Every structure is written in C-alpha cells, then in structure tokens.
Amino acid sequence: MTFSHTQISQYLRCPRSYRYRYLDGWQEKETKASLLFGRCFERALAAYFFGEDSAATLFKEWGTYRDANLEYSKGDSWDRMAHQGVHLLELFARDDRISIRDPRKDLQVKVTRSLPNDNDFVGYIDALGQLDKTHCVIDWKTTTSRYPEEPAGLLALDPQLICYSWITGLSEVAVVVFVRKQTPEIQYLKTSISEEQRQEFGRLIEATASQIQAGEFLPHSGIRFPQNGCVSCSHLGLCLGDQSLIDSKLIRRPGASDLDWLDQLEG
Ligand code: SF4
C-alpha cells in the first residue's frame, strides 16, 4: 500500500473522514477558487524558472476558470486574484532570492520511502533549491494571511516541512508564502528540522499506517467550541445525514485509484 502526507494527515485529523474519503470514495468538489488559483500560480512559478513569461502562464492557466462557478472567499474575484498573482510574480522576480539549478529535475520532485510490511510513502516536493544561497527543500504556499512568525521556532513544528525533511533526509527546509492581501507580500521563511524530529515523524507514519491497515476508523469529531474541526470538514454532511450538504460539497468516485489497495486489505 502507498501512503501520502495528505492521507496520513487526513487520518490524524479524523479517521472517520479518512474512511469516507479513501474507502468510500467521497471527495470534496474542486470548486474552491483559492485552491485552484494556488495550482495555477505554481505553474506560473515553474514557467518563471524555465525562463518563460510567468504572468502569461498565470493568465492562461487561471483563464480556464474565468467563467467557472467557483466558491470565492469574501472580497475575492477572478480579476482581483489574477492581479494579485501578477503582482506577486513581479515581486518574486525582483527579490531574486530563490535559485533552482535544474528546473526539469528540481521542481515537483517525486520522492519515495519504503515502510515496513511492503508499504511505501510517496511525496512530491515543490522544489529543491537555494534560498539566499542555502540549499534546502522548498514549499510554495499561496494564502490570504501571513504565516505566523511568533513565537520563534514555530515553523520547525510545521508537519508538512517535517514530512519533507523526513522523506528527503535534508534538515534545511523553507516555505515561501505568497500572501494575497491589499498590498501583496512574500515571506521567505527558513528553519532546520532535527534528526530526532525526523525519527519521530517516521514512527508516527508507521504507527498511522498500521492503524489504517487494521481498519480503525473511529470519528474524532472535536465537538468542543471553538476547536470544532467538523465545521470545516468536507464530510460533515455524511456525519449529519444532511443530503443537501453532501450534494453541495462532495462527489463520489467509486473505483477511484485510491481504492485499489482495498483489494490487498480485504485479501
Ligand atoms: S464531520 Fe467531524 S466526525 Fe465527521 S468525518 Fe468530519 S471531522 Fe470526522
């Protein structure tokens, strides 16, 4: 069976949600403008490193959603996001703090690690390159709010960065945050992940994989206000038996490739 960080983090957030998504095939509809814009922006960044016109790539990619019925966050619109994106790309080029030696090999890098019981873990690293001349694993993020920089050391607890460090064995990691706000801003944040953190993360992955394979899918509903994870969970309609919520948020894809491993589990 092959695991990914998305799978493991979904299981850790709520095992029942994992079961809905990966066993029953209930996937969230891809209608969130911010998510789709993030993907288009990453393609524009790739174009920049290939020496192509990144703004034109952004308009071409994001242009495919111009008339789509997307869910925009408060204050967002197709035009506003396009202009913020171009502004951020210009800022990124002007800063010139990231270098990627070979964009063909060092962008969207697939890395695999083997786990016990013939399992694998697969991850896609956004980029391997240099930030201010330090070689590191790089994660791109597009968001509407700044990444918190206080208290000091917080970034070293970011699970995605720990995962990247564990899967590559590299201690230096960075996140480049493209903040879409009134005046767009880019944060270049760097941290080191310790060997102990990598080992602990490896143990967490192995323990989670064995719970999944043992078929443990109890719900973690998190019902105490205000930390109610159910409110933002795309599977809320299934837990509440609310058909209109299911119809608005989810699409069912039985036979999706995610389900292939079930044969092994059941066999
Ligand atoms: S609504 Fe709550 S209990 Fe149900 S799957 Fe989502 S997080 Fe888990």
Side-chain angles (χ1 to χ4, degrees):
M1 187 174 163
T2 299
F3 293 94
S4 67
H5 184 251
T6 313
Q7 266 174 285
I8 297 288
S9 53
Q10 180 141 5
Y11 184 86
L12 291 173
R13 198 166 57 240
C14 177
R16 179 60 49 86
S17 171
Y18 179 98
R19 194 187 81 186
Y20 287 143
R21 166 71 177 78
Y22 292 100
L23 275 73
D24 300 344
W26 289 104
Q27 293 186 28
E28 188 173 5
K29 285 181 184 169
E30 295 206 331
T31 50
K32 280 201 183 121
S34 55
L35 176 86
L36 297 165
F37 178 81
R39 283 193 202 144
C40 297
F41 190 81
E42 287 193 17
R43 287 190 201 117
L45 279 178
Y48 166 79
F49 288 111
F50 278 99
E52 296 163 8
D53 184 340
S54 57
T57 304
L58 181 65
F59 270 103
K60 180 167 156 273
E61 296 286 340
W62 185 229
T64 58
Y65 298 107
R66 188 166 205 148
D67 301 318
N69 193 14
L70 302 184
E71 275 176 65
Y72 286 94
S73 310
K74 208 164 151 260
D76 267 345
S77 67
W78 187 94
D79 280 308
R80 187 177 148 87
M81 291 169 90
H83 287 109
Q84 285 171 332
V86 171
H87 191 147
L88 285 165
L89 288 167
E90 285 168 0
L91 211 55
F92 186 67
R94 218 175 308 141
D95 291 343
D96 194 21
R97 292 177 61 180
I98 302 281
S99 65
I100 305 287
R101 199 168 48 89
D102 183 349
R104 272 167 310 165
K105 282 195 351 226
D106 298 335
L107 291 175
Q108 281 298 306
V109 186
K110 183 181 177 185
V111 193
T112 307
R113 268 191 79 142
S114 37
L115 297 174
N117 305 320
D118 277 340
N119 293 324
D120 286 318
F121 187 96
V122 174
Y124 285 88
I125 309 290
D126 282 344
L128 285 172
Q130 293 194 336
L131 165 59
D132 299 333
K133 305 212 182 323
T134 302
H135 185 67
C136 53
V137 182
I138 301 169
D139 189 29
W140 316 124
K141 287 248 173 296
T142 47
T143 168
T144 48
S145 48
R146 296 184 91 250
Y147 198 104
E149 295 185 62
E150 297 284 338
L154 191 62
L155 190 65
L157 301 182
D158 185 295
Q160 177 96 62
L161 294 181
I162 297 172
C163 175
Y164 277 0
S165 175
W166 169 74
I167 201 167
T168 58
L170 295 171
S171 57
E172 298 308 302
V173 290
V175 57
V176 180
V177 191
F178 297 90
V179 194
R180 295 192 297 102
K181 52 187 182 117
Q182 191 75 16
T183 309
E185 179 192 348
I186 304 177
Q187 293 173 283
Y188 298 86
L189 308 172
K190 211 166 23 178
T191 192
S192 299
I193 306 296
S194 68
E195 178 56 31
E196 189 189 355
Q197 282 180 289
R198 281 191 289 280
Q199 285 183 8
E200 282 176 346
F201 188 78
R203 289 204 292 279
L204 178 67
I205 297 286
E206 287 177 21
T208 309
S210 64
Q211 283 167 15
I212 291 172
Q213 291 193 296
E216 291 170 19
F217 300 114
L218 292 171
H220 286 190
S221 58
I223 52 170
R224 293 302 300 276
F225 177 85
Q227 265 89 30
N228 191 344
C230 297
V231 174
S232 56
C233 176
S234 58
H235 294 126
L236 180 61
L238 290 167
C239 282
L240 297 181
D242 181 331
Q243 193 59 45
S244 64
L245 208 51
I246 296 171
D247 293 343
S248 67
K249 294 272 179 213
L250 299 170
I251 182 160
R252 192 165 193 192
R253 295 212 169 100
S257 59
D258 300 306
L259 303 177
D260 292 352
W261 62 273
L262 262 183
D263 297 342
Q264 298 165 22
L265 193 66
E266 286 168 357

